[in-house]
Amino acid sequence: MVTNLGCLIIYLIIIGDVLCGNESGGTLQLGVLQEWFGIQWWNSRAYVILFVVLFVMLPLVFLPHMNSLRHSSAISILLAVVFIAISSAMAIYAFWKGKTQNMRLLPDFANQVSIFDLFTTVPVLVTGFGFHVNIHPIRSELSRPSDMSYAVRISLAISIAIYFSIGFFGYMLFGESIMSDILVNFDQNSDSAIGQLVNNTVRLSYAMHLALVFPVINFSLRTNIDELLFAKKPVLAKDKSRFTILTCLLLALTYTIAIVIPNIWYFFQFLGSTTVVCLSFIFPGAIVLRDVHGISRRKDKVMAILVIIMAILTSMIAIATNLWTVG
């Protein structure tokens, strides 16, 4: 529940960055709406995200079944592919013209960067693959539950391809100036109207992708909270009043936190160092060690112990490094 709520907040923050811009290190990055209409009261982060929540996300999160989101989910994947295709083409074109940024294979430890700072990237990587909490609600609505194993493999392959492409071509484009939210980097002014149109298309396509993925994560979060608080009540989809109240409360909470803390880095670090590590490494390792069905071999248990130890050590180092940096 904590992981899903944090990811929903991250989605809203990124959408706000795209539409309303962001300020980091004293540098103001303009959003799409600010580039088009200038800085106005109505295109500030609070009003724009509220508009998106009410008129884009609210109708989708009110759908009672995961199966109802299949079309919006398909569109979201298509938008992610569009984002990758355009950003990759931009990077290749910049490389052809000799305009790409300098790229390093190793960190620059000479500029107040220690080897412990490398551990702060681990939570981000772990968070990217920590969405298997949606497997059970999706599997329960499949006509053939056995197809879930193929769906998981395909999803992992698509995720790896998307993350690798965005990371590689994004770093090729922006180099050391790359932001924690890469979409903010696409605010740069282009020499032509076509170039500016491409930049805006890249940002808007991925922002819309996140808006359409939002209801899928929200579905799992809402279901788990309902089962925790109302275990003896009827199924949530059949109780319209409980369904409506819980949906509105979760959406309002997500919106409020996204406005109060408009920085995705804090959420990535917190989730990736705590709940996602538990879901991805510590709990699976514990299941292998417990071995209820007596199927774990000695090699499996040794591997589980190593995974748990490495996950705990990495998380502790990442948390300590972030606290030291902030302090």
Side-chain angles (χ1 to χ4, degrees):
M1 290 185 292
V2 174
T3 301
N4 283 359
L5 179 61
C7 291
L8 294 182
I9 296 170
I10 290 174
Y11 287 176
L12 286 185
I13 293 175
I14 294 177
I15 293 172
D17 289 344
V18 170
L19 299 177
C20 311
N22 198 354
E23 185 174 357
S24 178
T27 302
L28 177 63
Q29 308 283 346
L30 295 179
V32 174
L33 294 178
Q34 293 171 333
E35 291 179 359
W36 289 351
F37 305 104
I39 300 178
Q40 308 291 339
W41 66 267
W42 54 267
N43 60 18
S44 63
R45 179 179 292 266
Y47 290 104
V48 171
I49 295 182
L50 179 61
F51 180 87
V52 174
V53 166
L54 292 178
F55 296 100
V56 178
M57 295 178 177
L58 188 60
L60 292 175
V61 297
F62 265 117
L63 296 175
H65 301 288
M66 183 73 79
N67 186 49
S68 304
L69 298 171
R70 63 187 184 278
H71 298 301
S72 60
S73 298
I75 295 174
S76 70
I77 296 297
L78 178 61
L79 290 172
V81 173
V82 170
F83 170 76
I84 293 174
I86 297 177
S87 57
S88 302
M90 292 175 63
I92 294 173
Y93 178 77
F95 178 78
W96 180 262
K97 292 292 185 178
K99 296 181 179 180
T100 53
Q101 301 293 324
N102 293 328
M103 300 176 63
R104 289 199 319 266
L105 295 179
L106 299 175
D108 184 10
F109 293 112
N111 295 324
Q112 298 181 347
V113 176
S114 69
I115 191 171
F116 295 106
D117 290 316
L118 298 178
F119 288 90
T120 62
T121 64
V122 176
V124 180
L125 298 175
V126 175
T127 304
F129 291 97
F131 290 104
H132 51 281
V133 291
N134 293 309
I135 289 179
H136 295 294
I138 294 176
R139 183 179 182 274
S140 65
E141 296 188 12
L142 287 177
S143 57
R144 291 187 300 176
S146 59
D147 290 341
M148 194 65 220
S149 59
Y150 298 104
V152 170
R153 294 171 186 171
I154 294 173
S155 299
L156 284 174
I158 293 176
S159 298
I160 292 172
I162 290 176
Y163 294 151
F164 175 81
S165 301
I166 293 175
F168 179 79
F169 291 110
Y171 185 55
M172 181 185 294
L173 265 177
F174 305 114
E176 296 180 6
S177 63
I178 196 168
M179 307 281 287
S180 56
D181 179 2
I182 187 176
L183 296 178
V184 177
N185 286 101
F186 285 95
D187 80 320
Q188 59 187 2
N189 295 322
S190 180
D191 298 332
S192 63
I194 296 179
Q196 191 64 40
L197 176 63
V198 171
N199 285 335
N200 290 335
T201 302
V202 168
R203 291 196 284 174
L204 290 175
S205 64
Y206 205 77
M208 183 57 68
H209 159 76
L210 295 180
L212 295 178
V213 173
F214 187 98
V216 179
I217 309 299
N218 181 83
F219 186 94
S220 178
L221 171 63
R222 181 177 56 202
T223 301
N224 280 275
I225 291 180
D226 181 72
E227 291 179 354
L228 177 65
L229 299 179
F230 308 103
K232 298 182 180 180
K233 295 287 185 178
V235 178
L236 181 61
K238 297 181 179 180
D239 191 333
K240 292 184 178 180
S241 60
R242 194 169 89 250
F243 180 87
T244 301
I245 293 173
L246 186 56
T247 299
C248 292
L249 286 177
L250 284 177
L251 207 55
L253 177 64
T254 306
Y255 166 78
T256 302
I257 299 178
I259 296 300
V260 174
I261 311 176
N263 192 315
I264 63 174
W265 184 252
Y266 296 120
F267 290 99
F268 269 128
Q269 290 298 314
F270 172 74
L271 297 176
S273 301
T274 55
T275 60
V276 180
V277 169
C278 291
L279 291 172
S280 301
F281 300 108
I282 297 178
F283 292 166
I287 292 174
V288 173
L289 292 177
R290 189 181 182 189
D291 193 20
V292 176
H293 301 288
I295 59 176
S296 296
R297 298 169 297 177
R298 182 178 181 181
K299 178 181 178 181
D300 298 327
K301 293 185 177 181
V302 172
M303 183 66 68
I305 293 174
L306 292 177
V307 168
I308 292 175
I309 293 175
M310 292 180 63
I312 294 175
L313 289 178
T314 301
S315 296
M316 292 176 61
I317 294 174
I319 293 172
T321 303
N322 277 294
L323 292 176
W324 177 265
T325 303
V326 173

